[in-house]
């Protein structure tokens, strides 16, 4: 290996370590970085996909766009959307109890059906369904009372609007009639002004940007307008590159950490975003908790989704998952909300996080260890070890440390059977200072 190649290898290794300890490079710019603190500490959010698609239990908007059902038959679902058992206070309390710190409601999906009393269109649940009332405001108020941050999902495309250039009635393209498309973006701006003025959300979760360029959506102008309502507003990544505050991978769990300093995995409890009565493929609470822990390990959030029924009730399976999350998050609170990304993989066979000052290493075990838990490459001395949410102190020891070597010995922690959590056990390791890892290849005896 020549000198240049060696230098590149050293720099690459250094970048990996910095990635975990300093966080990834900011892929998105925030005008006010302080506003991201609550988002970074929130860790868990709840996504709510609610709309007329719950009536037949079919894919939201996509079912007619992909010709699984005609547009006319899709819209017949308006007649069955009642919200007759909608209890926003109960929703908010359940979300609070789960340990989530923010929630996002689909105010308008790609089908263009608004869940609030928009003055810009007749296509709303207020005017067109038996529900006959605003569904956004009551939940926003209930979330605020529970001290949960308020998020609103809004589709920038609208497959029902006559001035959108890919709808069910007529096809024209932006390049052929940009002025007509501008009328549509004016409509978007007006609806978003309504949402901002009436509900003052903490976060906008945009979707549908893939069909047009940011300049066509007027993303820069829109972001400026929205920040005028709330300078602390957080916006997700789906207004185009450079306009979002955080990245939003979807469904698939990242194996490596996303590029943005702030990120969130959005994931369904079963296989559907909205309510589908035939979808019984719910992930178990333990499986979802393991996904949540993977997000914590990589310094991100989990936005976990459920779809209410057309009458506003929440499926029993979703209620059970939220309750089980509440049990686990309340028990392990200190190892969730005040943490940052953990140490690089390979030092311990489990996900990890670190306290904000990097002096406590949290280790998440979804299995029982064979004899004892091993940590390698940890230069620090261990001051104390305990089981989070249990308080039991554990014994640790170091094996194989040679006085002549810079390589640390193996640290071992004995874990008795009676301290394991039924889902994921969390071990806290207090160090003698900020975590310090050995990341080299070992060495041989040169002098003894």
């Amino acid at each position: 290996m020549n000198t240049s190649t060696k230098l590149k290898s050293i720099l690459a290794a250094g970048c990996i370590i910095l990635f975990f300890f300093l966080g990834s490079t900011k892929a998105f710019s925030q005008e006010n970085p302080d506003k991201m603190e609550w988002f970074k500490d929130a860790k868990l959010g709840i996504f709510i996909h609610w709309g007329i698609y719950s009536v037949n239990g079919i894919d939201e908007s996509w079912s007619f766009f992909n010709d699984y059902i005609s547009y006319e038959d899709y819209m017949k679902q308006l007649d069955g959307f009642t919200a007759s058992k909608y209890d926003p206070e109960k929703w908010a309390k359940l979300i609070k109890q789960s340990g989530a710190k923010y929630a996002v409601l689909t105010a308008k999906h790609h089908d263009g059906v608004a869940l609030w009393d928009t003055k810009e269109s007749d296509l709303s649940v207020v005017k067109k369904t038996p529900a006959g009332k605003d569904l956004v405001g009551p939940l926003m108020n209930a979330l605020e009372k529970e001290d949960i941050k308020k998020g609103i999902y809004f589709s920038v495309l609208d497959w029902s609007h006559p001035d959108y250039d890919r709808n069910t009635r007529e096809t024209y393209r932006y390049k052929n009639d940009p002025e007509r498309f501008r009328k549509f973006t004016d409509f978007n701006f007006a609806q978003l002004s309504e949402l901002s003025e009436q509900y003052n959300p903490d976060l906008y979760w945009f979707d549908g940007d893939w069909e047009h360029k940011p300049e066509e959506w007027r993303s820069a102008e829109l972001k400026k307008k929205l920040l005028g309502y709330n300078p602390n507003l957080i916006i997700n990544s789906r207004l185009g590159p450079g306009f979002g505050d955080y990245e939003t991978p979807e469904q698939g769990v990242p194996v490596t950490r996303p590029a943005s300093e702030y990120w969130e995995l959005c994931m369904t409890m079963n296989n559907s975003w909205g309510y589908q009565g035939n979808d019984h493929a719910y992930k178990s609470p333990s499986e979802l908790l393991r996904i949540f822990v993977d997000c914590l390990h990589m310094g991100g959030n989990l936005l976990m989704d459920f779809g209410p029924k057309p009458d506003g009730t929440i499926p029993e399976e979703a209620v059970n998952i939220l309750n089980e999350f509440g049990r686990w998050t309340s028990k392990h609170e200190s190892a969730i909300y005040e943490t940052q990304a953990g140490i690089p993989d390979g030092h311990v066979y489990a996900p990890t996080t670190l306290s904000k000052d990097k002096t406590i290493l949290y280790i998440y075990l979804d299995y029982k260890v064979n004899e004892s838990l091993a940590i390698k490459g940890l230069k620090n001395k261990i001051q104390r070890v305990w089981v989070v949410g249990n308080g039991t102190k554990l014994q640790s020891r170091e094996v194989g440390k040679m006085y002549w070597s810079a390589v640390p010995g193996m640290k071992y922690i004995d874990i008795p059977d009676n301290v394991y959590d039924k889902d994921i056990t969390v071990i806290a390791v207090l160090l003698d200072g900020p975590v310090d890892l050995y990341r080299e290849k070992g060495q041989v005896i040169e002098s003894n």
Side-chain angles (χ1 to χ4, degrees):
M1 184 184 293
N2 60 36
T3 303
S4 175
T5 305
K6 286 182 179 178
L7 181 59
K8 289 178 181 177
S9 298
I10 293 169
L11 288 172
C15 287
I16 292 172
I17 297 173
L18 285 171
F19 178 83
F20 273 87
F21 289 98
L22 299 179
S24 57
T25 303
K26 288 186 179 180
F28 306 160
S29 60
Q30 292 83 33
E31 295 78 4
N32 175 14
D34 291 342
K35 73 181 182 181
M36 300 303 296
E37 285 303 307
W38 75 257
F39 181 84
K40 181 173 65 174
D41 291 338
K43 307 303 182 184
L44 180 63
I46 299 300
F47 215 173
I48 306 167
H49 274 67
W50 196 26
I52 66 169
Y53 38 85
S54 61
V55 174
N56 289 348
I58 57 179
D59 289 341
E60 56 291 330
S61 308
W62 292 100
S63 50
F64 72 80
F65 187 80
N66 290 325
D67 295 323
Y68 300 141
I69 187 174
S70 71
Y71 178 79
E72 290 72 23
D73 284 342
Y74 179 92
M75 283 299 170
K76 288 178 182 177
Q77 294 177 104
L78 288 163
D79 297 333
F81 189 78
T82 67
S84 58
K85 297 181 180 178
Y86 178 38
D87 189 341
E89 288 77 19
K90 184 177 180 180
W91 285 20
K93 290 183 185 299
L94 184 60
I95 291 168
K96 175 83 168 182
Q97 183 269 336
S98 74
K101 302 299 183 182
Y102 63 110
V104 180
L105 174 67
T106 52
K108 191 181 80 167
H109 207 269
H110 312 325
D111 58 15
V113 181
L115 296 192
W116 77 100
D117 189 15
T118 178
K119 305 300 187 247
E120 300 300 320
S121 168
D122 288 336
L123 190 52
S124 74
V125 297
V126 181
K127 299 182 179 75
K128 295 291 188 179
T129 75
K133 58 186 177 183
D134 173 20
L135 303 179
V136 176
L139 182 60
M140 295 298 112
N141 292 336
L143 292 173
E144 193 167 347
K145 288 178 184 177
E146 295 293 342
D147 197 27
I148 298 169
K149 295 292 187 181
K150 303 173 296 184
I152 288 179
Y153 169 109
F154 184 90
S155 171
V156 292
L157 63 79
D158 185 332
W159 288 326
S160 289
H161 196 280
D163 289 322
Y164 188 67
D165 65 348
R166 283 188 69 183
N167 62 63
T168 58
R169 301 187 187 92
E170 177 184 359
T171 299
Y172 77 92
R173 295 310 296 164
Y174 169 87
K175 64 182 180 181
N176 298 327
D177 198 345
E179 287 306 311
R180 183 174 176 183
F181 191 81
R182 185 176 179 88
K183 284 173 59 182
F184 171 73
T185 55
D186 285 343
F187 163 75
N188 266 357
F189 278 43
Q191 284 201 324
L192 286 162
S193 290
E194 290 179 338
L195 291 168
S196 297
E197 290 168 357
Q198 294 178 43
Y199 312 122
N200 190 30
D202 301 291
L203 180 150
Y204 270 116
W205 212 102
F206 289 109
D207 200 11
D209 65 309
W210 60 83
E211 289 194 343
H212 284 276
K213 298 175 182 178
E215 55 268 27
E216 294 169 5
W217 292 122
R218 297 156 61 192
S219 295
E221 182 184 348
L222 177 58
K223 182 174 182 179
K224 182 178 180 180
K225 182 180 180 68
L226 296 177
L227 289 174
Y229 290 110
N230 178 5
N232 293 317
L233 181 71
I234 293 175
I235 296 173
N236 76 334
S237 59
R238 302 189 186 190
L239 276 182
F243 297 104
D245 297 309
Y246 67 96
E247 196 169 347
T248 55
E250 185 170 331
Q251 293 289 48
V253 182
V255 176
T256 60
R257 183 174 174 176
S260 176
E261 181 176 356
Y262 308 104
W263 66 273
E264 156 201 276
L265 169 67
C266 56
M267 172 162 282
T268 54
M269 292 181 177
N270 51 7
N271 291 325
S272 308
W273 293 105
Y275 173 71
Q276 295 195 21
N278 292 325
D279 184 356
H280 304 292
Y282 280 86
K283 304 168 186 71
S284 72
S286 185
E287 288 170 337
L288 286 165
L289 282 168
R290 278 180 274 174
I291 291 169
F292 179 41
V293 165
D294 277 343
C295 294
L296 296 177
H297 170 61
M298 292 184 282
N301 295 359
L302 173 64
L303 184 65
M304 185 168 61
D305 174 82
F306 69 83
K309 298 178 181 180
D311 65 0
T313 55
I314 302 173
E316 290 182 9
E317 298 92 337
V319 172
N320 177 57
I321 288 169
L322 292 170
N323 284 332
E324 286 298 307
F325 260 71
R327 181 202 71 81
W328 191 84
T329 57
S330 61
K331 178 180 178 181
H332 301 100
E333 185 175 0
S334 63
I336 299 171
Y337 306 106
E338 297 298 318
T339 64
Q340 58 184 294
I343 60 177
D345 296 336
H347 290 276
V348 59
Y349 292 114
T352 62
T353 61
L354 289 164
S355 60
K356 286 193 172 182
D357 63 3
K358 299 184 176 69
T359 63
I360 301 176
L361 174 66
Y362 294 103
I363 304 172
Y364 303 80
L365 300 174
D366 66 349
Y367 63 93
K368 289 188 176 183
V369 301
N370 182 10
E371 187 176 342
S372 55
L373 177 67
I375 309 173
K376 61 184 178 181
L378 181 62
K379 293 181 179 180
N380 302 80
K381 291 182 179 179
I382 294 177
Q383 306 281 58
R384 184 160 56 95
V385 183
W386 68 96
V387 182
V388 176
N390 177 302
T392 302
K393 292 182 181 179
L394 303 179
Q395 299 299 312
S396 66
R397 62 190 186 278
E398 185 172 24
V399 175
K401 170 61 180 163
M402 300 299 172
Y403 74 91
W404 49 266
S405 176
V407 182
M410 296 285 290
K411 308 288 199 305
Y412 289 100
I413 299 171
D414 298 324
I415 306 176
D417 284 347
N418 65 334
V419 303
Y420 282 97
D421 183 85
K422 74 182 185 71
D423 292 309
I424 299 171
T425 307
V426 185
I427 306 300
V429 183
L430 177 64
L431 308 174
D432 62 351
V435 66
D436 187 11
L437 298 176
Y438 179 83
R439 299 284 293 167
E440 300 175 41
K441 297 180 180 179
Q443 61 186 93
V444 298
I445 297 176
E446 293 180 351
S447 174
N448 189 359

